Amino acid sequence: MKTGTMQDWPLNVWKLIDHAAINHGSREIVSLTCEGQEVRTSWRQVQGRAKQVAEALRKMGIRQGDRVATLAWNTHRHIESWYGISGMGGVAHTVNPRLFPEQIAYIANHAEDRVLFLDPTFVPLVEKLAQSLKTVEHFVILTSREHMPKEASVNFLCYEELLAGEDADAPWTVVEETAPSGLCYTSGTTGNPKGVQYSHRANVLHAMAANMGDVLDIRSQSVVLPVVPMYHANAWGVPYAAAAAGAKLVLCGPNFDPPTIANMIRKENVTLTLAVPTVWLGMLQHLEATSGDLGALKRVVIGGSAAPRAMIEAFEEKYGVDVCHAWGMTEMTPLGTLGSLSAEAAELPRAKQIDLKCKQGRAIFGVELKLVDDEGRELPRDGVAFGRLLVRGPWIVASYFKGDGGQILDADGWFDTGDVATIDPAGYMQITDRSKDVIKSGGEWISSIEIENLAIGCPGVAEAAVIGVAHPKWDERPLLIIIRKEGAAVSGAEILKYLEGKIAKWWMPDAVEFVDSIPHTATGKIQKTALREQFSGYKLAA
Ligand code: AMP
């Protein structure tokens, strides 16, 4: 017999929400909405309303494989429409509203989005863009009639009216598990963004893996607050994983300010929260200034950029919260590694554990990692050799949407992440840089991330960025760019003194510059290309 004798049960994403509705139906989803309300709903209600969305889309003539976009914050309505789109065979395209308007128009046209669900926040933006969104036939505002704009240049539909009267028990559309269910564009810093089209299967497998104990460890008793937005790689898959586990979800809508997030963490007894480091920088400053606490919070997951050691220590030592690094990318659905402690690491002294927590973690089951040099030769897992990080697995991109970028896998199916990393004998991977940000000095590589993350620990430093600037002898040398904390007067010499002994002598920045702001990308990463432009022609003292 060629096959096993088990059932063929396609891994459709709507099975996640069905499971949540049947087995954890009353578990809450709490949302802060754009209208300033706090709405409490449940997995059962989200399932019913997602089915109403699916019905409404069918009536609009949306067919299997069509793209339906969302321009929205994390709210119950966003989750309903997201499950509803995929549940009728459509492809949920979560658009990042922080992109430049021209980029939003580019990706909506490239994706050929037929419907756009938007939050009331984005009415002015969409009014400006509507003419250039060539394929969008319907614009639906995720709100009720009373909050619809009184006058508008676009024929906006009202979400609550669209759902009213639709069947909350309508069947889902059964599609093959390899069919597309979602679409996210990479926040490419150069060239046009490229689309990653997730399959139902990839999302479901990723959700199951995300819930493993050494990964996000989401359970039915968990209360999860993904600060990371759904437009950033599906909020790292949390709304799928939380449904599979039956966890309570807390969503902060358009609010990213530390007081609101801290308040929701305390009030809703949040046990797990996830965001990029810039969010946590602001949170730690807020907690320090207000002598606040983090209630029942057990674990904070930090990803998207490297978390500085000082941040990890502050969460663990001042607030008693376990910090876990997560690494991944839009092309990986997005989780690749998690920084939970291995059995051996759990026995180590505290300082050594923090050393490990500064690394990006170990591969999740389902993700293979490999390091290669520029000639493609595999490098040892000795924690020292650093090279290009390649990945392979069932939720990793095989090609970009519409074939953009051509062939992106090598002959053995490996995808080059564009990251440079080390992997130690215990399997802990550490990102040293994006390959285009690494500083090449005298034929050797200097990790900009490592210097940045140490500099952040220096008293008086609020944020740090390191770029390579041209040097006549060494090719490139590091320039350290600093934002001081409010009221601080720390000098360049003091910062360099602080770094002494913490990094190799030849890694020491040649100069320190102070700025008022450091540019960030639409997903909260330091925008090195903009900094390199800002400091192009920078002359290092001889
Ligand atoms: P994105 O697709 O926007 O999530 O960006 C993915 C990229 O973000 C990765 O290739 C890394 O360069 C970076 N990244 C993600 N997580 C981490 C992390 N924990 N530490 C350092 N860099 C990270």
Side-chain angles (χ1 to χ4, degrees), residues 187 232 303-306 325-330 360 419 434 523 525:
S187 44
H232 187 189
S305 301
H325 241 141
W327 167 86
M329 57 199 308
T330 304
Q360 274 68 17
D419 285 330
R434 288 295 291 165
T523 48
K525 301 183 211 306

Side-chain angles (χ1 to χ4, degrees), residues 25 41 119 177 197 204 450:
T41 166
D119 266 339
E177 63 178 20
Q197 193 166 234
V204 173
E450 194 161 335

